Amino acid sequence: MTHTWALSRDFGLFAEEGYRSPTVTCVDNRVGPQIDVPAMATFMAERGFTMDKGYGKIKGQTFRIGHMGDFQPETLEEVFAGIDDFMGA
């Protein structure tokens, strides 16, 4: 779901095919809409979601969406809708 959402919004996926994690997706913000990742994280925090803002050399250029543990498809849909709202989609 996360890969499909990210690619449908013209984001990239940081990890190459074959190396992508089944538990977290690192969305590559260097292509596509190039949103303000820290502002998006603040926006999402106001909606009850903690968003990773990347780290090291890719801080602010990527963000990660976890999809493990208690995350259900409905929760992911809320995350996607929130980011879409932030982007004005």
Side-chain angles (χ1 to χ4, degrees), residues 2 21-25 65-76:
T2 306
S21 171
T23 60
V24 65
T25 297
I65 298 175
H67 33 80
M68 61 185 159
D70 291 341
F71 265 54
Q72 299 296 315
E74 296 81 19
T75 306
L76 285 171

Side-chain angles (χ1 to χ4, degrees), residues 13-47:
L13 301 176
F14 186 75
E16 294 179 22
E17 186 71 46
Y19 294 93
R20 296 179 183 150
S21 171
T23 60
V24 65
T25 297
C26 186
V27 179
D28 192 342
N29 186 48
R30 297 173 297 176
V31 297
Q34 299 181 350
I35 62 174
D36 181 336
V37 174
M40 180 271 297
T42 299
F43 181 88
M44 292 299 289
E46 293 168 357
R47 284 147 185 78

Side-chain angles (χ1 to χ4, degrees), residues 9 83-89:
R9 301 316 187 266
I83 299 170
D84 285 341
D85 287 346
F86 174 77
M87 294 189 312

